[in-house]
Structures are given as C-alpha cells and as structure tokens.
Amino acid sequence: MEVTVGETAYEWIRQFEETKDGRGAMAALRLHCEGKDFTKLRITEADRIIREASYSNERHFSFENYATLLQKAYTTYEQSDQVYPDRAKVKRLLEKINVSHNFMISHAK
C-alpha cells in the first residue's frame, strides 16, 4: 500500500491500511478501475476517438497509426461487452480518409 501514497489510488485503498487487508485493497482498486463508471469513461473516450480520428497523409499521421487508433477504440467496445458492427467499422475507416485524387479510395466510399 505504501507505493500508492501520494497517488490517486491511495484514496481508494486508504481504508484498508490500518487492517493491512491487501485483498480488500485490491478488490477496491479493481472495482474503481473496472467498474461501471470507469467503463462509461472508456466508452466515451472510444467514441471521441472514432468520431475525431482521420487520415490525410503519411507525413502527418501514418495509416498504420490511424487504423491502430481505431482498433484500440473498437477493442474498448468489445471489452465492455458492446458490439460495434464490422460494416460500421469499415464505413468509418473510409469516411475519415481525406486523400485527394485517390481513385481506389473514392470508389470504396
């Protein structure tokens, strides 16, 4: 518990310090970090990423990074037992590609 002193996690386990209940402290941290409120926060962040992420060129932000960022957001949905349909994933991926004069991309959209 000493490693959390001065950190925000300490406030969530302080009550277990006097009794040296490490198991209770871990359960409290898990509930805080994996509870409903935290899950909502993670989904909100995933929604923001899906809404705002875009690709325009390799110099600004690589396609690999763009696709990975979206995959991370979709994985958050899956870990929260929510489904983001594959068709919607592909649609969003293509909609946010802003590359001019690209025949293949313009026809895929």
Side-chain angles (χ1 to χ4, degrees), residues 3-59:
V3 298
T4 62
V5 174
E7 303 292 330
T8 56
Y10 179 70
E11 294 305 319
W12 296 96
I13 63 171
R14 180 196 292 201
Q15 64 187 344
F16 301 100
E17 187 172 34
E18 192 172 310
T19 60
K20 303 219 184 289
D21 181 8
R23 186 172 289 162
M26 281 303 298
L29 278 176
R30 278 197 185 98
L31 182 62
H32 170 64
C33 294
E34 298 173 2
K36 288 182 181 181
D37 288 339
F38 189 71
T39 299
K40 286 179 188 176
L41 182 65
R42 290 180 60 217
I43 290 293
T44 300
E45 177 62 13
D47 287 338
R48 185 194 65 75
I49 290 169
I50 293 167
R51 186 178 59 253
E52 295 178 5
S54 65
Y55 172 79
S56 58
N57 61 52
E58 289 294 307
R59 195 175 354 175

